[in-house]
Amino acid sequence: MKESLLSPAITIYGAGYVGLVTGACLSKSGHTVRVLDIDRGKLDSLAAGKTPFFEPELDHVLAEAIAAGRLTFAHPDDACADAPAPAHAPGAPATPFVYIAVGTPSTAAGSADLRFVRDVIDRLAQTASSGTVVVMKSTVPPGTGTAIAERLAQRGIGYVSNPEFLREGSAVADWYHTDRIVLGGQAAHVDAVATLYSDIDAPVVRCDITSAELVKYASNAFLATKISFVNEIASLCEITGADITAVAAAVGMDHRIGPDFLRAGIGYGGSCFPKDTRALDYLSRFKGYDFNLLRAVIEVNARQRMLPVKALRDRLGDLAGQRVAILGLAFKPDTDDTRESPGMDIARMLLAEGALVTGFDPIAHAHIDDEQFTACDTLEAALEGVAAAIVATEWPCFVSADWSALIARMSGPRIVFDGRNVLDQDAIHAAGGTYLAVGRPSTP
Ligand code: UDX
């Protein structure tokens, strides 16, 4: 296939959350981008203009870029898929860029699985032309990039660590309103990559590769620490009779602490915090360092999602045959991602106790294919005749729901466990329900 003069100046390996958002936003900024992925089903979906996952705004940005001819998709094995844009292509920057945005999931031991990264590096070490700059967006353990950079340098290929700080559900906004852009590598390569972000109003932190890699893990580990810390304080609230929503609000007013990531509940999930905290703990132990605080963060978080099951067992006794609804299956609102979702783990724990489980999620329900688990199409259907409901994700539709009507559909003790401390406990109590929460006074 003849390489068009308008060949993409930027190639991205990985059409997942990070790769697609990176490709869409770089295209929106005027660059020409080709996104490569080994999943042909995903490529077909994208070619049809459909984002393979729910991410507000992404559909629109992708559609614009595709229509403008600035964004294309291909399989790495397709002819010339690897050939970075010729430097002379009109509008292409002098240096072709190849982003790596493939997954680095957890291995069973908790370390970061780098096989997909290695596959791309092996390919690039053979095919990328001298002068190319490889930009690492995937989250890789500190110390990974220096070895890659040395290998690529032998072919005149540059390497920059450029960790991302995108949150699912607000990824496009986070791209353009980031607090900082972190670029680790040799100055010339870092300066070249910085030119791609000239339309983003954020400070650029220039540092070495390993420091840039550790910034990513330290940022996520600190945010996870805030969450587990506030959940520990919530446990003290349970013991002392204090209300965590009042305590956290006042603590967060200290400008040195800040209000964000101080919402107590059944803990963090998703594809990042669990994976990155485990990988940092693994790396620490592998290097002979005992990161006590981080291990405590992980242990506290694992305990939080057990709270609703323990509370129901305390109130209902044997859960076998009891009907329970899980409200919220995605790990947080504005996403359909159920990876390490507390709601899904709670459903599994209840099923293991012999409970009869229904579930509802306004977006993720379509992704539930667990045969033991009835994923209902409506909130009302999920609550019909159940003894207890657990709010596992703070979807707005649960907060604004008419709980007096919903509780009327329930039966027996009508327990509502508010796993995200977002419901009006007085309204639930007034409707004859029993309100339980995390670190808040429960219905007597
Ligand atoms: C996170 C980081 O925020 C982001 O910078 C990084 O790039 C990827 O990982 P994400 O996992 O998409 O983003 O979601 P986030 O909004 O950070 O929430 C993570 C988890 O923490 C969710 O399960 C959420 O429910 C939980 N959480 C968040 C709390 O339990 N309490 C809080 O106060 C905030």
Side-chain angles (χ1 to χ4, degrees):
M1 179 193 308
K2 187 175 176 316
E3 186 66 30
S4 147
L5 278 186
L6 289 181
S7 296
I10 297 173
T11 300
I12 298 176
Y13 280 85
Y17 282 96
V18 176
L20 270 188
V21 172
T22 299
C25 293
L26 286 172
S27 305
K28 182 178 173 66
S29 299
H31 303 292
T32 53
V33 181
R34 172 179 37 213
V35 177
L36 306 179
D37 200 287
I38 56 176
D39 180 341
R40 292 193 183 277
K42 193 182 281 188
L43 292 171
D44 294 343
S45 164
L46 287 163
K50 190 172 176 341
T51 312
F53 47 81
F54 178 80
E55 179 59 49
E57 287 189 64
L58 186 57
D59 274 333
H60 169 68
V61 180
L62 277 176
E64 263 192 349
I66 294 167
R70 288 198 302 272
L71 183 61
T72 53
F73 304 95
H75 189 285
D77 294 340
D78 295 351
C80 79
D82 279 346
H88 60 273
T95 309
F97 298 90
V98 177
Y99 278 78
I100 298 179
V102 294
T104 54
S106 292
T107 65
S111 62
D113 183 345
L114 298 179
R115 81 181 100 128
F116 302 116
V117 169
R118 278 196 287 271
D119 289 350
V120 176
I121 294 297
D122 288 347
R123 179 188 284 268
L124 291 175
Q126 305 300 323
T127 61
S129 54
S130 173
T132 298
V133 175
V134 171
V135 186
M136 182 61 76
K137 273 279 175 203
S138 298
T139 301
V140 295
T144 305
T146 46
I148 296 175
E150 282 165 21
R151 178 180 176 194
L152 295 177
Q154 291 166 19
R155 294 276 320 281
I157 299 166
Y159 180 94
V160 172
S161 168
N162 178 207
E164 49 80 20
F165 305 100
L166 307 174
R167 290 167 297 166
E168 290 184 36
S170 57
V172 174
D174 288 348
W175 174 276
Y176 287 104
H177 305 291
T178 183
D179 293 319
R180 73 302 205 193
I181 294 166
V182 177
L183 298 174
Q186 287 183 21
H189 303 143
V190 162
D191 291 344
V193 175
T195 62
L196 301 178
Y197 304 132
S198 55
D199 61 331
I200 297 176
D201 179 17
V204 176
V205 177
R206 290 169 163 80
C207 57
D208 61 277
I209 291 170
T210 304
S211 298
E213 291 164 339
L214 189 52
V215 164
K216 169 70 179 179
Y217 280 96
S219 300
N220 275 2
F222 185 77
L223 293 169
T225 301
K226 274 190 97 172
I227 293 167
S228 282
F229 178 80
V230 78
N231 282 334
E232 290 273 70
I233 297 295
S235 296
L236 280 184
C237 289
E238 301 263 356
I239 295 166
T240 59
D243 184 330
I244 191 58
T245 48
V247 172
V251 168
M253 292 168 79
D254 184 321
H255 74 278
R256 296 165 300 176
I257 299 170
D260 295 340
F261 288 73
L262 278 185
R263 295 195 316 274
I266 51 176
Y268 59 77
S271 64
C272 292
F273 284 178
K275 165 177 75 73
D276 293 351
T277 50
R278 283 196 296 263
L280 194 58
D281 176 41
Y282 180 94
L283 176 78
S284 303
R285 283 185 282 114
F286 190 77
K287 298 283 188 185
Y289 180 69
D290 198 0
F291 198 154
N292 291 305
L293 181 60
L294 181 62
R295 225 177 26 262
V297 168
I298 296 168
E299 285 163 15
V300 166
N301 192 63
R303 182 186 71 202
Q304 290 305 109
R305 59 192 66 191
M306 297 167 71
L307 294 179
V309 180
K310 286 162 69 178
L312 293 191
R313 210 190 289 133
D314 290 348
R315 297 235 175 187
L316 300 176
D318 182 3
L319 295 179
Q322 294 278 7
R323 298 185 61 188
V324 183
I326 307 289
L327 306 185
L329 303 171
F331 81 93
K332 67 174 201 175
D334 292 330
T335 181
D336 59 359
D337 192 349
T338 60
R339 286 177 288 182
E340 309 229 13
S341 151
M344 292 301 292
D345 283 350
I346 291 166
R348 294 182 188 109
M349 284 187 261
L350 290 169
L351 288 168
E353 302 260 336
L356 305 175
V357 181
T358 56
F360 172 71
D361 186 290
I363 297 286
H365 71 284
H367 295 251
I368 307 305
D369 53 6
D370 183 327
E371 63 289 343
Q372 293 177 302
F373 182 117
T374 310
C376 300
D377 291 336
T378 65
L379 177 53
E380 291 72 15
L383 289 174
E384 197 60 48
V386 300
I390 297 167
V391 174
T393 309
E394 63 277 24
W395 283 105
C397 62
F398 301 154
V399 179
S400 61
D402 173 358
W403 277 95
S404 55
L406 293 176
I407 285 170
R409 287 176 173 271
M410 297 170 66
S411 71
R414 293 182 167 80
I415 296 171
V416 176
F417 189 103
D418 182 3
R420 296 296 177 185
N421 291 346
V422 291
L423 302 182
D424 177 347
Q425 52 188 309
D426 297 334
I428 287 168
H429 187 41
T434 300
Y435 179 83
L436 305 177
V438 180
R440 300 186 78 186
S442 303
T443 305

